[in-house]
Each structure stands twice: as C-alpha cells, then as structure tokens.
Amino acid sequence: MVFSAFAELYLASGEGPPGLLPARQQMAFSLGWHIVLACFGVAFPAMIYVVHRRGIVRDDPVALGLAKRWATVSAILFAIGAVSGTVLSLEMGLLWPGLMGRYGDVLGLPFAFEGLSFFIEAIFLGIYLYGWGRMPPRRHLAMLVPMAVAGVVGTFCVVSVNAWMNNPTGFRLVDGEVTDVDPWRAMFNDGAFLQFAHMWVGAFMVVGFVVSGVYAAGLLRGRRDEHHRLGFTVPFVFATVAAIAQPLIGHVLGMRVHDTQPSKLAAFELATHTEGPAPLRMGGLLVDGEVVGALEIPRLGSIIARNSLTAPIPGLDTVPPADRPPVNITHLAFQTMVGIGTLLALLVVVFWLARWLRHDPLANRWFLRVAVVAGPLAVLALECGWIATEVGRQPWTVWRVLRTADAASTSTGLWWSYTGVLLVYLGMTVGAIVVLRSMTRRWRAGAKSIASPYGPGAGPVDEAQRAVGERG
C-alpha cells in the first residue's frame, strides 16, 4: 500500500524534465533532514534558559549542570545545521532555477533576514558558550534571549517563503513577466503567521519529547536521580503545552486549506466527490478511483474541516486530473501526523492527570517506555506534516502560478548532486552520533566539559575569573 502511494509521485515526476525527479528527491531528503535540526534552533534555547535561570535563582547545581550540557549539545547541532542549511540555500538555485530565476526578487527579503538571523544566533551562541565562568551570571543568562529570538525570526522567514508558495502575493504577472514586486507583502502573506505558528509549536513538540525521552531512557536504566528527573520534566512541560495547543492550531489551519487549496483538502480527506455532510475517513487508499479500506465516521469530516455538521468538503471531482496531487501519499502523511499528534496529546494528559492524583509516572516503567518512543514519534509526525504540506500542493511549486515541472532544472546530471548530498549528510549523521555518544560517556564518568564559577565543579581559576567579573 505504501509502495503504491510512493509510486504515484514517481510516475508524476517522470512526466517532467529530466531534472524533476532527482530535484524532488534531493530537496525532500535535505529538507527532511534539516527540519529536525531547525526545531532545536527554535526550541532548545528556551529550555536552556529555564534550567539556567533556575540554577541561578535557586542556587541549583543540578539545573546549572543541565544548562551546560544542553548548551554543548546545542552547539554541536547548530554546527551541523549550519552545513545542512548552507546546502539547502545552494539547492534552491541549483534544483529550482524556474522558481528562483523568476521570483527571486519576490522571495529575496525573507531569505536575507533569515541569513541575518543565522549570524545573530551564531554570535550569541558563541558568546554564551564562551561566557561560562567569564561573565556575571545574569548577564550570561541574558545572552540566550537574542539567541532564541534569532532562531524564531529565522524560522519565520523560511516558513513565510513556504507560506508564499501556498499563498502567492506581492507581485503581478504581466505577459508572463513579474512586475510590481512588493517583497514585504510577499513575506507577510496571508498564510505566513498561521503556518509559522504550526511549525513553531511543532518544534517545541519535537524537542520537548526527544529530550525528555533521553532522560526517560536513563530513568529506565535505574538512574533515578534529580538530574534525570529535572532533565525529563522541563522539556516535557514545554512538550505538554505544545501538544495541547497544536490540535487547535492545526484545526484552524485545516479550515483555511478549504478556502485556499481545496484539492489538498480533498486529498487529506480522501474525498473523491463533493459531500455534505462529509465523513471522516480513517486509513484507506484510493485505488482505481475508488476508496478502499477506509473506516468512515459520519459527519466528523465536516466538523473537523469546516466547523459544521453539514458543510460540504470539495471532492477531487472538482479538480482537473492534471491539477490533482498524489492523493494516497498526501492522505497517509496527513493522517499519520494527526494520529501521532493525538496520541502525544493523550500522553501528556495521562502524565499530568496521574500527577494530580498523586501518582508518580516516572516510577512507572510502562510510562517511561512510552515516553522514550514519544521522541521518534514526534519527529515522524513533523516529517509527515511537511510531506502533507508539500506533496498536497502538487503539481504546483507556487500555487496556481508555477508548476513544479516548470520550476525544476532540466539538467541530466542532478543524480550526481543528489549522491553527493547523501554522502555528506551520511557523514554528518555518523559524526554527530559519534560526538554525542562520546560526550555522554564522559558525562556519565563525571567529566564537566565546561567549568562554571557559580555552578558545580568551579575551579580555582574560574573562581578568580568570577571575582574579576564581579568587580568589573
């Protein structure tokens, strides 16, 4: 079933220029890899800020120790993300000359701000890492604020470009030429803020569940100390807020899809023809124009997509065959995202309900096992959401303005580029795993990679530096 869904995309790619299929594959792989690291750039500084502030205000050496470790991990992920982000910026021109050549003036502003945000984030990350033991505690803590803000702004800029591809505005086409360019209007298009909110909250879900899952694994192995309990709780609180808020944002975003991209909504809902009231179809595939294997729940489709008991959902019969997205892959990706998001929301509800009833979920091995799995599930939901957004917009790169086949490169040599990217990303993945595992082993052995004058393990040199800093 899944194979047949991917076959749709392959067949559709075969109808375009020779560079279309490798361009799609390379872009999908690069973005799917980079988007996970981007989440850490958005959400991790806020979590580091919380534990660092707790360490200073409560004189808590455990919290300060967590802040140091998380900052070190953040630096490694940032370095890797810088490489993958640079590759992506090069790919935009290499793989999609029809998009960047024609609409570069329209899209230039958010890309410029994204680059500026990247440098600000890098500068303050460097100051923060170097500042341990060299700056007054609260000034050092404040370095996380511009770092976090820059991560959020950079993400908004990238998401606004994608939102523009879904809601093109800020220009006019006259005889095929782009005129009257308004880059601010293009950047702040009608879908930018809502789509950014969806991604922003999703980033906190990913990082919150992944980091808490790491400490849940430690608790499962018997490391039931305050370090692991706090390391689990702080990111899990962030994940809780995000997991509860995300269904509401997704619901509003889904209603907007009905107005802006009805063919995408039809693929989400596996709707072959317009129905009102429309059922919710769980699972299933479209085979030879017929829905097979779906569980239908009456009226629920209208309620979720239209906020109504009777409102119709447009079907694929309203869309010309040449303008329909690959239905099955869009449908499966969307339902996987929604299904995992629902399970994660239930998980956080169960955790806090148990706490309210004076039970300790962290003493329950089954809960800890689920918490470990929640991290990879959150990543899978993120990837599926991105697939649903991008594949559901096909065959358009810019909705009803530029077809993907017209945006792609005509080069026959892109498979070499794709192979090179695979090797580079494989090397970065192996390198990241080796470095992080090495650091973890040293931390377990009692090593402190960064000494702090006001935290655990302060040495005589750091104490002297602190005294100088306080006098200054």
Side-chain angles (χ1 to χ4, degrees):
M1 293 172 66
V2 175
F3 175 78
S4 67
F6 279 94
E8 283 185 336
L9 200 59
Y10 178 83
L11 291 173
S13 300
E15 298 170 357
L20 178 58
L21 181 57
R24 271 180 163 156
Q25 297 298 318
Q26 183 172 333
M27 201 72 197
F29 176 79
S30 304
L31 271 174
W33 201 93
H34 181 76
I35 195 173
V36 179
L37 295 176
C39 289
F40 277 83
V42 173
F44 218 13
M47 297 178 192
I48 298 172
Y49 183 91
V50 169
V51 291
H52 193 159
R53 187 178 183 280
R54 175 188 172 107
I56 294 174
V57 173
R58 300 189 183 186
D59 194 20
D60 184 346
V62 173
L64 279 177
L66 281 170
K68 289 181 184 177
R69 292 188 180 186
W70 291 358
T72 308
V73 172
S74 178
I76 294 169
L77 297 180
F78 184 87
I80 298 171
V83 176
S84 59
T86 302
V87 170
L88 275 171
S89 64
L90 296 174
E91 287 178 344
M92 290 298 292
L94 177 68
L95 306 179
W96 310 108
L99 170 66
M100 299 309 296
R102 195 173 188 183
Y103 296 97
D105 291 347
V106 184
L107 299 175
L109 188 64
F111 280 132
F113 280 127
E114 195 276 336
L116 187 62
S117 301
F118 168 77
F119 285 117
I120 292 174
E121 188 178 1
I123 289 169
F124 280 94
L125 173 61
I127 294 174
Y128 180 71
L129 292 171
Y130 189 73
W132 286 100
R134 297 177 175 85
M135 298 175 70
R138 292 185 182 275
R139 191 184 302 167
H140 182 214
L141 174 66
M143 296 300 104
L144 284 167
V145 176
M147 182 176 142
V149 171
V152 171
V153 171
T155 302
F156 173 82
C157 292
V158 173
V159 173
S160 76
V161 172
N162 185 265
W164 176 84
M165 293 161 71
N166 290 318
N167 308 270
T169 187
F171 69 97
R172 286 198 312 127
L173 278 177
V174 178
D175 298 328
E177 297 294 327
V178 177
T179 63
D180 297 335
V181 174
D182 182 350
W184 291 101
R185 178 72 183 111
M187 182 172 172
F188 294 100
N189 60 77
D190 294 339
F193 286 103
L194 193 55
Q195 199 170 320
F196 165 73
H198 197 45
M199 177 66 209
W200 184 50
V201 173
F204 278 94
M205 286 185 69
V206 167
V207 180
F209 283 117
V210 167
V211 177
S212 62
V214 169
Y215 289 93
L219 289 164
L220 268 174
R221 294 175 180 174
R223 304 184 188 111
R224 298 185 174 279
D225 49 31
E226 183 58 24
H227 172 83
H228 282 79
R229 293 185 70 87
L230 186 62
F232 175 90
T233 303
V234 171
F236 196 79
V237 169
F238 278 96
T240 296
V241 177
I244 298 299
Q246 191 66 299
L248 302 176
I249 298 172
H251 175 59
V252 176
L253 194 58
M255 289 193 295
R256 178 175 167 74
V257 169
H258 166 267
D259 300 326
T260 57
Q261 295 183 6
S263 62
K264 180 185 287 185
L265 180 60
F268 283 171
E269 302 298 332
L270 212 59
T272 55
H273 58 279
T274 303
E275 296 175 272
L280 174 68
R281 295 184 178 85
M282 299 179 65
L285 285 175
L286 191 65
V287 180
D288 297 330
E290 299 293 331
V291 176
V292 177
L295 173 64
E296 292 192 3
I297 303 176
R299 294 184 182 272
L300 195 54
S302 292
I303 295 173
I304 294 175
R306 303 291 309 278
N307 247 359
S308 166
L309 289 171
T310 58
I313 289 179
L316 292 168
D317 58 343
T318 63
V319 183
D323 291 346
R324 295 174 186 173
V327 176
N328 287 329
I329 194 169
T330 305
H331 172 70
L332 290 175
F334 176 72
Q335 292 219 326
T336 302
M337 175 194 68
V338 173
I340 292 175
T342 304
L343 289 175
L344 295 178
L346 287 174
L347 175 66
V348 301
V349 169
V350 168
F351 176 85
W352 293 109
L353 184 61
R355 289 281 299 263
W356 184 62
L357 294 173
R358 300 185 182 281
H359 295 293
D360 182 11
L362 299 187
N364 186 301
R365 295 187 65 81
W366 278 107
F367 174 81
L368 292 174
R369 291 189 182 103
V370 174
V372 171
V373 176
L377 284 179
V379 174
L380 179 60
L382 176 79
E383 300 286 1
C384 287
W386 198 252
I387 291 171
T389 298
E390 297 304 294
V391 178
R393 192 182 57 241
Q394 300 305 312
W396 306 96
T397 289
V398 182
W399 177 247
R400 289 179 176 169
V401 172
L402 177 67
R403 288 183 180 272
T404 305
D406 298 327
S409 168
T410 57
S411 172
T412 58
L414 288 185
W415 288 110
W416 290 106
S417 167
Y418 183 31
T419 303
V421 166
L422 285 174
L423 293 174
V424 169
Y425 280 45
L426 176 63
M428 289 195 297
T429 303
V430 172
I433 292 172
V434 169
V435 171
L436 291 175
R437 284 178 62 85
S438 171
M439 287 167 47
T440 302
R441 283 195 295 271
R442 281 183 287 156
W443 280 333
R444 286 176 188 161
K448 295 177 174 59
S449 57
I450 305 174
S452 167
Y454 48 90
V461 175
D462 296 316
E463 292 292 351
Q465 290 176 340
R466 180 188 182 188
V468 171
E470 288 178 345
R471 285 198 299 273

